[in-house]
Amino acid sequence: INAEYMGIYFLMLGATTRSRASTRPRSSSATDATSVRAGKRQRASDSKLSSNAAAVEPKPKRAKTTKTKKMSPDTEALQNFTHWLVKSEPSVISIDRMASLGRPEHWDGVRNYLARNAMRAMRVGQQALFYHSSCKKPAVVGLVEISREAYPDHTAWTRGHEGFDAKSTEAAPIWDMVDLRFVKKFARPVELESLRANPKLRNMWLFTKARLSVLPMQADEWAEVLRMANEN
C-alpha cells in the first residue's frame, strides 16, 4: 500500500512541476528577441504604408504660363510706319463720296489679318493716300486722315452684313476698323501704271503685297507719290 501511495505522490509532484514550468515568465532575452521581431514587422508595415501613400498622393499642378503670341515680321514692322495707303472701289466709296460726307467715315469690312494689324498701328493725325481700286483706271486720288484709332468692327457680328464672321463676337471681337476723315482730292491722280513704272516705288507694299486693302508706306515713297501728284 505504501508503495502505491508513494507512486501516486510522485506522479502528482511531476504534474505540479510541469504546470509551474509552463506558467513561468520568459527570460528577458526571449522577450527582447520577440520585441525586435515585432519592431521589424512594424517598420516594414510603416514603410509599405508610406510608399502606398506616396503613390496615391496627387502631384502638385504646375502653374499655367501665359504664352505671348509672337508677331510676324511684317506685323512687327508695321509699328515703325507713319504713312499709309487705303484702297476702295469707287462704286463702294469714292474720294468724292468721302468729300461729300462732311464727317469721318468708319473703315469697316477689312478681313485680312495683316491689313487689320496695319489699322491697329495707325495713330490719330497720321495720313493715308486714298487709292481707287478694281476700276478702269486704278489710281491714287487723294488724302485722308486717321481721326479715330482701331476699335472693334461691329459689322463682323452683324448677321446679313457682307462682312459677317461667325467667329467674331461683340464679347470677343476679331476684326477692327478705324475712322478716316477727308483731307483733299488730287487735281492730278497718280495712276497705277505710273506708280509701277517708277523705280523709286518698286518696293511699295502696293506691289509686293497687292492683296492688302490697307498698307503702310515708307516716308520716301510717300514723298515720291506726292511729287508725282504735284502735291509737294
Side-chain angles (χ1 to χ4, degrees), residues 203-217:
N203 293 323
M204 278 183 68
W205 283 39
L206 179 65
F207 306 126
T208 60
K209 293 178 174 57
R211 71 186 187 283
L212 299 181
S213 61
V214 180
L215 44 88
M217 294 185 66

Side-chain angles (χ1 to χ4, degrees), residues 77-88:
L78 290 172
Q79 313 308 312
N80 301 318
F81 287 93
T82 57
H83 300 87
W84 311 92
L85 183 147
V86 295
K87 298 178 183 177
S88 177

Side-chain angles (χ1 to χ4, degrees), residues 65-100:
T65 56
T66 303
K67 291 184 178 180
T68 302
K69 192 173 182 181
K70 190 177 181 181
M71 288 185 183
S72 69
D74 286 337
T75 297
E76 191 170 2
L78 290 172
Q79 313 308 312
N80 301 318
F81 287 93
T82 57
H83 300 87
W84 311 92
L85 183 147
V86 295
K87 298 178 183 177
S88 177
E89 297 178 23
S91 58
V92 177
I93 186 165
S94 65
I95 193 68
D96 291 329
R97 171 67 176 159
M98 287 290 293
S100 67

Side-chain angles (χ1 to χ4, degrees), residues 41-57:
R41 287 196 298 270
Q42 183 62 47
R43 286 194 296 273
S45 176
D46 291 346
S47 176
K48 186 175 181 180
L49 288 172
S50 177
S51 64
N52 288 341
V56 299
E57 184 179 353

Side-chain angles (χ1 to χ4, degrees), residues 4-229:
E4 291 179 3
Y5 282 129
M6 289 299 290
I8 293 171
Y9 170 77
F10 284 119
L11 285 174
M12 291 177 66
L13 181 62
T16 302
T17 302
R18 286 194 300 272
S19 176
R20 287 177 179 175
S22 65
T23 58
R24 185 182 300 165
R26 293 183 179 180
S27 66
S28 60
S29 60
T31 302
D32 292 343
T34 303
S35 298
V36 170
R37 287 195 295 273
K40 288 183 178 179
R41 287 196 298 270
Q42 183 62 47
R43 286 194 296 273
S45 176
D46 291 346
S47 176
K48 186 175 181 180
L49 288 172
S50 177
S51 64
N52 288 341
V56 299
E57 184 179 353
K59 293 182 180 179
K61 293 182 179 180
R62 291 183 179 179
K64 291 184 178 180
T65 56
T66 303
K67 291 184 178 180
T68 302
K69 192 173 182 181
K70 190 177 181 181
M71 288 185 183
S72 69
D74 286 337
T75 297
E76 191 170 2
L78 290 172
Q79 313 308 312
N80 301 318
F81 287 93
T82 57
H83 300 87
W84 311 92
L85 183 147
V86 295
K87 298 178 183 177
S88 177
E89 297 178 23
S91 58
V92 177
I93 186 165
S94 65
I95 193 68
D96 291 329
R97 171 67 176 159
M98 287 290 293
S100 67
L101 288 175
R103 57 170 173 76
E105 174 71 358
H106 52 256
W107 209 250
D108 62 70
V110 174
R111 297 297 179 265
N112 175 283
Y113 286 102
L114 191 53
R116 178 206 64 184
N117 293 343
M119 290 195 296
R120 288 180 175 179
M122 290 177 169
R123 296 295 174 259
V124 170
Q126 293 177 351
Q127 292 187 338
L129 295 173
F130 197 97
Y131 180 88
H132 281 172
S133 64
S134 302
C135 56
K136 188 175 181 180
K137 289 186 176 181
V140 174
V141 294
L143 282 175
V144 292
E145 183 177 288
I146 290 83
S147 60
R148 183 180 176 183
E149 295 175 10
Y151 60 102
D153 181 352
H154 62 85
T155 66
W157 61 80
T158 303
R159 291 189 178 275
H161 193 280
E162 62 181 354
F164 174 74
D165 182 351
K167 293 179 291 185
S168 183
T169 65
E170 189 170 3
I174 296 175
W175 305 109
D176 290 347
M177 58 186 178
V178 294
D179 287 355
L180 301 178
R181 180 183 65 83
F182 172 79
V183 175
K184 71 181 303 180
K185 178 181 177 180
F186 292 162
R188 179 184 173 183
V190 184
E191 296 183 4
L192 176 60
E193 290 182 359
S194 298
L195 295 169
R196 200 188 301 275
N198 189 330
K200 294 181 179 179
L201 303 176
R202 63 178 178 272
N203 293 323
M204 278 183 68
W205 283 39
L206 179 65
F207 306 126
T208 60
K209 293 178 174 57
R211 71 186 187 283
L212 299 181
S213 61
V214 180
L215 44 88
M217 294 185 66
Q218 298 285 357
D220 57 343
E221 296 169 347
W222 176 271
E224 181 64 15
V225 174
L226 292 183
R227 184 196 65 77
M228 294 172 72

